[in-house]
Amino acid sequence: RARGGRGGVTEAAVQFLERVGADVLAQQNELGETALALALQCGHAEVALLLLEKMRAEGLQACDEGAKALVR
């Protein structure tokens, strides 16, 4: 296992965020999906929790296309 007992996908997410910074979390792909939405859709709860910890408050208010904000 990777450092801190994290799995491979979570460790890759940690390394990615360290490299590019948390601002990338508010970006959407061509389908309007965020990294958080994709982590949840793929069943990566640990990655989703990591993303939530790293997101700024305004990022939590952002929406995927056609979806509601996570917090209001």
Side-chain angles (χ1 to χ4, degrees):
R1 296 202 108 173
R3 76 174 176 205
R6 293 187 164 117
V9 171
T10 304
E11 183 61 25
V14 168
Q15 291 176 4
F16 177 74
L17 289 172
E18 288 173 353
R19 198 169 56 246
V20 301
D23 289 339
V24 73
L25 298 176
Q27 295 180 8
Q28 298 177 354
N29 67 15
E30 62 278 355
L31 300 175
E33 301 164 318
T34 62
L36 177 59
L38 291 170
L40 291 169
Q41 288 172 20
C42 294
H44 297 295
E46 193 172 332
V47 172
L49 289 173
L50 169 72
L51 296 176
L52 284 170
E53 289 173 5
K54 300 290 183 183
M55 290 178 84
R56 296 192 173 120
E58 61 269 16
L60 291 172
Q61 294 173 352
C63 298
D64 288 342
E65 270 185 37
K68 294 184 179 178
L70 292 173
V71 295
R72 293 179 196 237

